Amino acid sequence: MLDFNLMMGEGCEGELEAIHLEGNQSNSMSFHSREEFSQNVEAIYCVKGQVKLKISIDNSMILDEGDIILITKKGNFSDLQLEMYNLKDEKAHLIRTSIHY
C-alpha cells in the first residue's frame, strides 16, 4: 500500500491510499477520524475488480469497477470497522481517500 499526503486548503487535511487485493483476498481497516476537525469523510473508489464491503454485521454492499462509496461523519468515527473481500480471481484495485475539515 502507498500513502500520500494531500495538499489542501487551510483547515483541511487528508490522505490518499492505493489498495490492491489479490484474487479472493480480504482486508480489514478502521476509519481514522481526526478529533481536531469537525467533519471527517472517507471515500473508497473501485478502480478495477469487484469488491464486497462489509461495514457492520447488517450492512454490506458490492463495489464494481467505477463505483465509489462516501462515508461522512461529524466528529469521531474511529470505532467504525470495514472489511473488504475481493470477489473475483483477478487482482482488485481501489483508492481510499480520507478528508478532514
Side-chain angles (χ1 to χ4, degrees), residues 60-100:
S60 65
M61 65 187 60
I62 305 291
L63 286 184
D64 288 308
E65 188 172 315
D67 289 344
I68 189 169
I69 179 174
L70 293 175
I71 302 170
T72 303
K73 178 84 166 89
K74 285 186 179 184
N76 192 314
F77 59 47
S78 61
D79 57 339
L80 188 60
Q81 295 284 343
L82 177 93
E83 294 186 36
M84 298 179 180
Y85 303 92
N86 184 351
L87 297 177
K88 295 193 173 187
D89 292 332
E90 60 194 47
K91 200 173 204 179
H93 303 281
L94 301 111
I95 296 174
R96 176 184 176 185
T97 304
S98 302
I99 302 169
H100 316 284

Short mmCIF file of all heavy atoms in Angstrom, two decimals, residues 60-100:
data_model
loop_
_atom_site.label_atom_id
_atom_site.label_comp_id
_atom_site.label_asym_id
_atom_site.label_seq_id
_atom_site.Cartn_x
_atom_site.Cartn_y
_atom_site.Cartn_z
N SER A 60 -23.69 -4.41 4.16
CA SER A 60 -22.65 -4.74 3.19
C SER A 60 -23.13 -4.30 1.82
O SER A 60 -24.33 -4.12 1.59
CB SER A 60 -22.32 -6.23 3.21
OG SER A 60 -23.42 -6.98 2.78
N MET A 61 -22.18 -4.09 0.92
CA MET A 61 -22.51 -3.70 -0.45
C MET A 61 -21.40 -4.17 -1.38
O MET A 61 -20.29 -4.45 -0.95
CB MET A 61 -22.70 -2.19 -0.55
CG MET A 61 -21.44 -1.39 -0.28
SD MET A 61 -21.74 0.37 -0.20
CE MET A 61 -22.88 0.47 1.14
N ILE A 62 -21.73 -4.22 -2.65
CA ILE A 62 -20.78 -4.62 -3.69
C ILE A 62 -20.35 -3.37 -4.44
O ILE A 62 -21.18 -2.57 -4.86
CB ILE A 62 -21.42 -5.62 -4.68
CG1 ILE A 62 -22.00 -6.83 -3.97
CG2 ILE A 62 -20.42 -6.01 -5.76
CD1 ILE A 62 -20.99 -7.76 -3.37
N LEU A 63 -19.04 -3.19 -4.59
CA LEU A 63 -18.49 -2.14 -5.44
C LEU A 63 -17.94 -2.78 -6.69
O LEU A 63 -17.09 -3.67 -6.63
CB LEU A 63 -17.35 -1.39 -4.74
CG LEU A 63 -17.68 -0.43 -3.62
CD1 LEU A 63 -16.41 0.28 -3.15
CD2 LEU A 63 -18.72 0.58 -4.03
N ASP A 64 -18.45 -2.36 -7.84
CA ASP A 64 -17.93 -2.78 -9.13
C ASP A 64 -17.00 -1.70 -9.66
O ASP A 64 -16.96 -0.59 -9.14
CB ASP A 64 -19.08 -3.01 -10.12
CG ASP A 64 -19.88 -4.25 -9.80
OD1 ASP A 64 -19.27 -5.33 -9.65
OD2 ASP A 64 -21.12 -4.15 -9.70
N GLU A 65 -16.27 -2.03 -10.70
CA GLU A 65 -15.36 -1.07 -11.33
C GLU A 65 -16.09 0.24 -11.63
O GLU A 65 -17.17 0.25 -12.23
CB GLU A 65 -14.83 -1.68 -12.62
CG GLU A 65 -13.75 -0.90 -13.28
CD GLU A 65 -13.14 -1.66 -14.44
OE1 GLU A 65 -12.85 -2.86 -14.31
OE2 GLU A 65 -12.95 -1.03 -15.50
N GLY A 66 -15.53 1.36 -11.15
CA GLY A 66 -16.13 2.67 -11.35
C GLY A 66 -17.04 3.14 -10.24
O GLY A 66 -17.47 4.29 -10.23
N ASP A 67 -17.36 2.27 -9.28
CA ASP A 67 -18.22 2.65 -8.16
C ASP A 67 -17.43 3.32 -7.05
O ASP A 67 -16.24 3.05 -6.86
CB ASP A 67 -18.92 1.42 -7.56
CG ASP A 67 -19.98 0.83 -8.46
OD1 ASP A 67 -20.41 1.53 -9.41
OD2 ASP A 67 -20.39 -0.32 -8.21
N ILE A 68 -18.12 4.18 -6.29
CA ILE A 68 -17.49 4.87 -5.16
C ILE A 68 -18.48 4.88 -4.00
O ILE A 68 -19.70 4.95 -4.20
CB ILE A 68 -17.06 6.30 -5.54
CG1 ILE A 68 -16.23 6.93 -4.43
CG2 ILE A 68 -18.26 7.17 -5.89
CD1 ILE A 68 -15.56 8.23 -4.82
N ILE A 69 -17.95 4.80 -2.78
CA ILE A 69 -18.76 4.95 -1.58
C ILE A 69 -18.17 6.10 -0.77
O ILE A 69 -16.95 6.21 -0.64
CB ILE A 69 -18.82 3.65 -0.73
CG1 ILE A 69 -19.66 3.89 0.52
CG2 ILE A 69 -17.45 3.14 -0.39
CD1 ILE A 69 -19.90 2.64 1.35
N LEU A 70 -19.04 6.96 -0.28
CA LEU A 70 -18.63 8.07 0.59
C LEU A 70 -19.25 7.87 1.96
O LEU A 70 -20.45 7.62 2.07
CB LEU A 70 -19.10 9.42 0.03
CG LEU A 70 -18.49 9.90 -1.25
CD1 LEU A 70 -19.16 11.18 -1.72
CD2 LEU A 70 -17.00 10.13 -1.09
N ILE A 71 -18.44 8.00 2.99
CA ILE A 71 -18.92 7.92 4.37
C ILE A 71 -18.54 9.24 5.03
O ILE A 71 -17.36 9.57 5.13
CB ILE A 71 -18.28 6.73 5.13
CG1 ILE A 71 -18.60 5.43 4.40
CG2 ILE A 71 -18.76 6.70 6.57
CD1 ILE A 71 -17.84 4.23 4.90
N THR A 72 -19.54 9.99 5.44
CA THR A 72 -19.32 11.30 6.05
C THR A 72 -19.82 11.26 7.48
O THR A 72 -20.90 10.74 7.76
CB THR A 72 -20.08 12.39 5.28
OG1 THR A 72 -19.67 12.35 3.92
CG2 THR A 72 -19.81 13.77 5.85
N LYS A 73 -19.03 11.84 8.38
CA LYS A 73 -19.40 11.82 9.79
C LYS A 73 -18.95 13.10 10.45
O LYS A 73 -17.83 13.54 10.27
CB LYS A 73 -18.72 10.62 10.47
CG LYS A 73 -18.97 10.51 11.95
CD LYS A 73 -20.27 9.80 12.22
CE LYS A 73 -20.40 9.36 13.66
NZ LYS A 73 -20.96 10.27 14.57
N LYS A 74 -19.84 13.70 11.21
CA LYS A 74 -19.44 14.81 12.06
C LYS A 74 -18.76 14.21 13.29
O LYS A 74 -19.25 13.25 13.87
CB LYS A 74 -20.65 15.62 12.52
CG LYS A 74 -21.22 16.49 11.45
CD LYS A 74 -22.31 17.37 12.01
CE LYS A 74 -22.85 18.27 10.93
NZ LYS A 74 -23.84 19.20 11.43
N GLY A 75 -17.62 14.75 13.65
CA GLY A 75 -16.91 14.26 14.83
C GLY A 75 -16.16 12.97 14.55
O GLY A 75 -15.78 12.67 13.43
N ASN A 76 -16.00 12.17 15.59
CA ASN A 76 -15.14 11.00 15.58
C ASN A 76 -15.89 9.75 15.13
O ASN A 76 -16.96 9.45 15.63
CB ASN A 76 -14.56 10.81 16.98
CG ASN A 76 -13.44 9.81 17.02
OD1 ASN A 76 -13.54 8.75 16.43
ND2 ASN A 76 -12.38 10.15 17.70
N PHE A 77 -15.32 8.98 14.18
CA PHE A 77 -15.88 7.66 13.85
C PHE A 77 -14.79 6.60 13.80
O PHE A 77 -14.85 5.66 13.03
CB PHE A 77 -16.71 7.66 12.58
CG PHE A 77 -16.05 8.09 11.30
CD1 PHE A 77 -14.80 7.63 10.91
CD2 PHE A 77 -16.71 8.95 10.47
CE1 PHE A 77 -14.23 8.01 9.72
CE2 PHE A 77 -16.14 9.35 9.26
CZ PHE A 77 -14.91 8.88 8.89
N SER A 78 -13.79 6.73 14.67
CA SER A 78 -12.68 5.78 14.65
C SER A 78 -13.10 4.38 15.07
O SER A 78 -12.37 3.42 14.87
CB SER A 78 -11.53 6.28 15.53
OG SER A 78 -11.96 6.41 16.85
N ASP A 79 -14.28 4.25 15.64
CA ASP A 79 -14.75 2.93 16.04
C ASP A 79 -15.39 2.16 14.88
O ASP A 79 -15.76 1.01 15.03
CB ASP A 79 -15.76 3.05 17.19
CG ASP A 79 -16.95 3.93 16.83
OD1 ASP A 79 -16.84 4.74 15.91
OD2 ASP A 79 -17.99 3.78 17.50
N LEU A 80 -15.47 2.76 13.71
CA LEU A 80 -16.09 2.12 12.55
C LEU A 80 -15.07 1.24 11.83
O LEU A 80 -14.01 1.70 11.42
CB LEU A 80 -16.63 3.20 11.61
CG LEU A 80 -17.48 2.74 10.43
CD1 LEU A 80 -18.72 2.00 10.91
CD2 LEU A 80 -17.88 3.93 9.59
N GLN A 81 -15.39 -0.04 11.71
CA GLN A 81 -14.53 -1.02 11.03
C GLN A 81 -15.11 -1.35 9.67
O GLN A 81 -16.32 -1.37 9.49
CB GLN A 81 -14.43 -2.31 11.85
CG GLN A 81 -13.75 -2.15 13.17
CD GLN A 81 -12.24 -2.02 13.01
OE1 GLN A 81 -11.68 -2.35 11.99
NE2 GLN A 81 -11.59 -1.55 14.04
N LEU A 82 -14.23 -1.65 8.72
CA LEU A 82 -14.65 -2.02 7.37
C LEU A 82 -13.85 -3.24 6.93
O LEU A 82 -12.64 -3.31 7.16
CB LEU A 82 -14.38 -0.86 6.40
CG LEU A 82 -14.70 -1.16 4.96
CD1 LEU A 82 -16.11 -0.71 4.64
CD2 LEU A 82 -13.73 -0.48 4.04
N GLU A 83 -14.52 -4.20 6.33
CA GLU A 83 -13.86 -5.36 5.75
C GLU A 83 -14.13 -5.38 4.26
O GLU A 83 -15.23 -5.09 3.81
CB GLU A 83 -14.36 -6.64 6.40
CG GLU A 83 -13.98 -6.73 7.87
CD GLU A 83 -14.35 -8.06 8.48
OE1 GLU A 83 -14.24 -9.09 7.78
OE2 GLU A 83 -14.74 -8.06 9.64
N MET A 84 -13.07 -5.68 3.48
CA MET A 84 -13.17 -5.76 2.02
C MET A 84 -12.87 -7.18 1.59
O MET A 84 -11.93 -7.79 2.09
CB MET A 84 -12.12 -4.86 1.36
CG MET A 84 -12.23 -3.44 1.64
SD MET A 84 -10.85 -2.63 0.76
CE MET A 84 -11.18 -0.97 1.21
N TYR A 85 -13.66 -7.68 0.64
CA TYR A 85 -13.46 -9.02 0.10
C TYR A 85 -13.41 -8.92 -1.42
O TYR A 85 -14.37 -8.45 -2.04
CB TYR A 85 -14.61 -9.95 0.49
CG TYR A 85 -14.83 -10.06 1.98
CD1 TYR A 85 -15.72 -9.23 2.64
CD2 TYR A 85 -14.13 -11.01 2.73
CE1 TYR A 85 -15.92 -9.33 4.00
CE2 TYR A 85 -14.32 -11.12 4.09
CZ TYR A 85 -15.22 -10.29 4.72
OH TYR A 85 -15.42 -10.38 6.08
N ASN A 86 -12.31 -9.35 -2.02
CA ASN A 86 -12.22 -9.40 -3.48
C ASN A 86 -13.06 -10.59 -3.93
O ASN A 86 -12.80 -11.73 -3.56
CB ASN A 86 -10.76 -9.56 -3.91
CG ASN A 86 -10.60 -9.52 -5.41
OD1 ASN A 86 -11.56 -9.53 -6.16
ND2 ASN A 86 -9.36 -9.48 -5.86
N LEU A 87 -14.06 -10.34 -4.76
CA LEU A 87 -14.99 -11.38 -5.17
C LEU A 87 -14.57 -12.11 -6.44
O LEU A 87 -15.24 -13.05 -6.86
CB LEU A 87 -16.38 -10.78 -5.38
CG LEU A 87 -17.02 -10.19 -4.11
CD1 LEU A 87 -18.36 -9.55 -4.45
CD2 LEU A 87 -17.18 -11.25 -3.04
N LYS A 88 -13.45 -11.70 -7.03
CA LYS A 88 -13.01 -12.33 -8.28
C LYS A 88 -11.63 -12.96 -8.09
O LYS A 88 -10.94 -12.71 -7.12
CB LYS A 88 -12.98 -11.31 -9.41
CG LYS A 88 -14.36 -10.78 -9.74
CD LYS A 88 -14.36 -10.02 -11.03
CE LYS A 88 -15.79 -9.67 -11.41
NZ LYS A 88 -15.87 -9.08 -12.72
N ASP A 89 -11.23 -13.76 -9.07
CA ASP A 89 -9.91 -14.39 -9.03
C ASP A 89 -8.80 -13.42 -9.42
O ASP A 89 -7.64 -13.66 -9.12
CB ASP A 89 -9.87 -15.60 -9.97
CG ASP A 89 -10.75 -16.74 -9.47
OD1 ASP A 89 -10.94 -16.85 -8.25
OD2 ASP A 89 -11.24 -17.51 -10.31
N GLU A 90 -9.15 -12.34 -10.11
CA GLU A 90 -8.13 -11.37 -10.54
C GLU A 90 -7.94 -10.30 -9.48
O GLU A 90 -8.78 -10.09 -8.61
CB GLU A 90 -8.54 -10.74 -11.87
CG GLU A 90 -9.86 -10.00 -11.80
CD GLU A 90 -10.42 -9.67 -13.17
OE1 GLU A 90 -10.44 -10.54 -14.05
OE2 GLU A 90 -10.84 -8.51 -13.34
N LYS A 91 -6.83 -9.60 -9.57
CA LYS A 91 -6.47 -8.56 -8.62
C LYS A 91 -7.47 -7.40 -8.68
O LYS A 91 -7.88 -6.98 -9.76
CB LYS A 91 -5.07 -8.04 -8.94
CG LYS A 91 -4.39 -7.33 -7.82
CD LYS A 91 -2.95 -7.03 -8.21
CE LYS A 91 -2.08 -6.86 -6.99
NZ LYS A 91 -0.69 -6.60 -7.34
N ALA A 92 -7.86 -6.88 -7.52
CA ALA A 92 -8.75 -5.70 -7.43
C ALA A 92 -7.91 -4.50 -7.01
O ALA A 92 -6.99 -4.62 -6.20
CB ALA A 92 -9.86 -5.94 -6.43
N HIS A 93 -8.22 -3.34 -7.58
CA HIS A 93 -7.51 -2.10 -7.26
C HIS A 93 -8.51 -1.07 -6.77
O HIS A 93 -9.53 -0.82 -7.43
CB HIS A 93 -6.79 -1.56 -8.50
CG HIS A 93 -5.83 -2.54 -9.10
ND1 HIS A 93 -4.58 -2.77 -8.59
CD2 HIS A 93 -5.96 -3.37 -10.16
CE1 HIS A 93 -3.96 -3.68 -9.31
NE2 HIS A 93 -4.79 -4.07 -10.28
N LEU A 94 -8.22 -0.47 -5.60
CA LEU A 94 -9.09 0.53 -5.01
C LEU A 94 -8.26 1.73 -4.56
O LEU A 94 -7.06 1.61 -4.35
CB LEU A 94 -9.83 -0.05 -3.79
CG LEU A 94 -10.68 -1.26 -4.08
CD1 LEU A 94 -10.08 -2.48 -3.43
CD2 LEU A 94 -12.09 -1.05 -3.60
N ILE A 95 -8.95 2.85 -4.42
CA ILE A 95 -8.32 4.05 -3.85
C ILE A 95 -9.15 4.48 -2.66
O ILE A 95 -10.37 4.62 -2.75
CB ILE A 95 -8.25 5.19 -4.88
CG1 ILE A 95 -7.36 4.79 -6.06
CG2 ILE A 95 -7.73 6.48 -4.22
CD1 ILE A 95 -7.34 5.79 -7.19
N ARG A 96 -8.48 4.67 -1.55
CA ARG A 96 -9.12 5.14 -0.33
C ARG A 96 -8.63 6.56 -0.04
O ARG A 96 -7.43 6.83 -0.03
CB ARG A 96 -8.77 4.24 0.85
CG ARG A 96 -9.32 4.73 2.16
CD ARG A 96 -8.84 3.86 3.30
NE ARG A 96 -9.30 4.39 4.57
CZ ARG A 96 -8.95 3.89 5.73
NH1 ARG A 96 -8.15 2.85 5.78
NH2 ARG A 96 -9.39 4.44 6.84
N THR A 97 -9.56 7.47 0.17
CA THR A 97 -9.23 8.86 0.47
C THR A 97 -9.86 9.23 1.80
O THR A 97 -11.04 8.96 2.02
CB THR A 97 -9.77 9.80 -0.63
OG1 THR A 97 -9.25 9.38 -1.88
CG2 THR A 97 -9.36 11.23 -0.37
N SER A 98 -9.08 9.84 2.67
CA SER A 98 -9.58 10.36 3.94
C SER A 98 -9.44 11.87 3.91
O SER A 98 -8.36 12.38 3.60
CB SER A 98 -8.76 9.81 5.11
OG SER A 98 -8.79 8.40 5.13
N ILE A 99 -10.53 12.57 4.20
CA ILE A 99 -10.51 14.04 4.19
C ILE A 99 -11.06 14.52 5.53
O ILE A 99 -12.10 14.05 5.99
CB ILE A 99 -11.36 14.60 3.05
CG1 ILE A 99 -10.86 14.07 1.71
CG2 ILE A 99 -11.36 16.13 3.07
CD1 ILE A 99 -11.77 14.35 0.55
N HIS A 100 -10.34 15.46 6.14
CA HIS A 100 -10.73 16.01 7.44
C HIS A 100 -10.81 17.53 7.30
O HIS A 100 -9.88 18.15 6.80
CB HIS A 100 -9.70 15.65 8.50
CG HIS A 100 -9.24 14.22 8.43
ND1 HIS A 100 -10.00 13.17 8.88
CD2 HIS A 100 -8.11 13.66 7.93
CE1 HIS A 100 -9.35 12.04 8.66
NE2 HIS A 100 -8.19 12.33 8.09
#
